[in-house]
Amino acid sequence: MAIHPIEGDLPISGGVRSYPTFRNHAGGTSTIAVTNVNKMGAGAPTAAASANRYIRFGLRNTGGSQIASVQINPGQWGHNMIFRRSNNSANIPSGRYALNGRSEKFSGTYLHPHRYFKGSLKLT
């Protein structure tokens, strides 16, 4: 099993961010743990509200199709969350995968247009 450190930003518009780094996966379960998510930055008018917003991640194959996803709610920061396929299976086929990410959409005007995160991605 390989553990890959990950970090990046997610637009608060709710749009998908496709990260460019593909990693090998031998097959089986894959997990993600997000250990740090900003709360829209110091001075943001809605810093507390942003702590209650989910983020979603997906595994994208080299053909561009997302084959598995996971939603991470604020109470789950730091926990290993299992990617699941559309049929709810946790068995991710062998291949090369990159992350897609999305933040729950924020409406209104914000000091920072992105949510920043850090964590780890576990592939076999």
Side-chain angles (χ1 to χ4, degrees):
M1 179 176 295
I3 300 173
H4 305 279
I6 56 171
E7 64 180 278
D9 61 87
L10 301 168
I12 63 172
S13 66
V16 174
R17 173 71 40 99
S18 294
Y19 299 96
T21 304
F22 283 88
R23 298 171 174 96
N24 292 322
H25 178 62
T29 303
S30 178
T31 63
I32 188 169
V34 174
T35 54
N36 186 21
V37 178
N38 77 323
K39 295 182 174 80
M40 305 303 290
T46 58
S50 71
N52 297 320
R53 304 291 180 115
Y54 66 76
I55 54 178
R56 291 183 180 149
F57 290 97
L59 292 176
R60 181 181 77 254
N61 64 23
T62 56
S65 297
Q66 183 170 300
I67 60 102
S69 63
V70 64
Q71 178 171 307
I72 305 172
N73 298 307
Q76 298 167 322
W77 304 150
H79 297 273
N80 286 320
M81 305 299 293
I82 298 171
F83 282 96
R84 299 231 176 240
R85 301 189 68 182
S86 61
N87 64 1
N88 204 32
S89 171
N91 185 25
I92 309 300
S94 63
R96 292 182 48 78
Y97 298 102
L99 281 175
N100 286 340
R102 175 190 303 258
S103 173
E104 182 176 0
K105 184 177 181 177
F106 288 64
S107 58
T109 303
Y110 296 91
L111 184 62
H112 301 286
H114 297 92
R115 295 180 78 187
Y116 298 93
F117 69 90
K118 289 185 179 183
S120 60
L121 173 67
K122 293 181 185 177
L123 301 170
T124 56

